[in-house]
Amino acid sequence: MEPHLQHSVTDSVATVVIRHPAKRNAMTAAMWRALPPLLDGLAADPAVRALVLTGEGGTFCAGADISTLRGSPEEAQRLAEYAEEALAAFPKPTLAAVRGHCVGGGAQLAAACDLRFAEQGALFGVTPAKLGVVYAASATRRLVSLVGPATTKYLLFSGELIDAEQALRTGLVDEVLPEGELGKRVAEFTRILVSRSQLTQAAAKEFANGRTDRDAYWAGQARGSGDTAEGVAAFLERRRPEFTWSVPPSPASPASPASPTSPTSPTSG
């Protein structure tokens, strides 16, 4: 089977699966190119209220397919950065469900998600120092925001892998689950996410990501949404709220800067 990104939507949760089992789900150039337009489509789908990123089988993603770095490492890095930024900009809650290796570009993708749940036995590493690659400034800043400057330097300087428990202690992951329990917990938590107000989630995501200049915009959205009135009424009436505000459509991501006309890898629903 050719390396590709598989996606599906069930109960308002989109699941994107990285599939390249021959190389522990390493991302090829075509897979990096495919991710931003795939995310655009899922973001525009009103049925999607949350997104889970995971890898096929027992591995999340072992990074970039190293064979793609031989021709043009700069182009490969641009593709990875572009995909990472598209994932970070996804307007609905995102969660990385991590089993096995989450290394290099895989760790970059996981860090771009809002939340990271890992199974015991997972291993994390940021490994550009093993290849002589300069890690992107945007990815470095995102890592610092998660784990702080000291752990960021430890990971980037050494390229060493850390286990799930250490990742939890440093803030790289939010929950660690026993073997065999990750899927159940992700399903349980995403059911919670899709039941909550998208208005609250979207505003909180922007504010947490540094967009503190949008207070007036979100105040206006809150006044016109009806979500607050519904939430209060549901609380007083002891029923589940029916929130109606949804993320407005946004422009599609521009073509990949590395190869605007290159075909993307196949995706399957």
Side-chain angles (χ1 to χ4, degrees), residues 103-120:
V103 179
Q108 199 170 338
L109 288 174
C113 291
D114 298 312
L115 300 164
R116 287 149 296 282
F117 289 5
E119 188 173 79
Q120 284 180 343

Side-chain angles (χ1 to χ4, degrees), residues 13 63 71 100 113 132 159 177 185 239 247 253 261:
V13 179
C113 291
L177 287 306
R185 175 57 179 152
R239 61 174 173 82
V247 175
S253 298
T261 59

Side-chain angles (χ1 to χ4, degrees), residues 65-76:
D65 186 337
I66 301 301
S67 65
T68 65
L69 299 179
R70 287 184 174 177
S72 176
E74 294 83 5
E75 177 179 340

Side-chain angles (χ1 to χ4, degrees), residues 37-56:
L38 172 58
L39 294 172
D40 283 341
L42 295 173
D45 185 347
V48 173
R49 297 176 67 94
L51 181 142
V52 174
L53 179 67
T54 193
E56 182 183 46

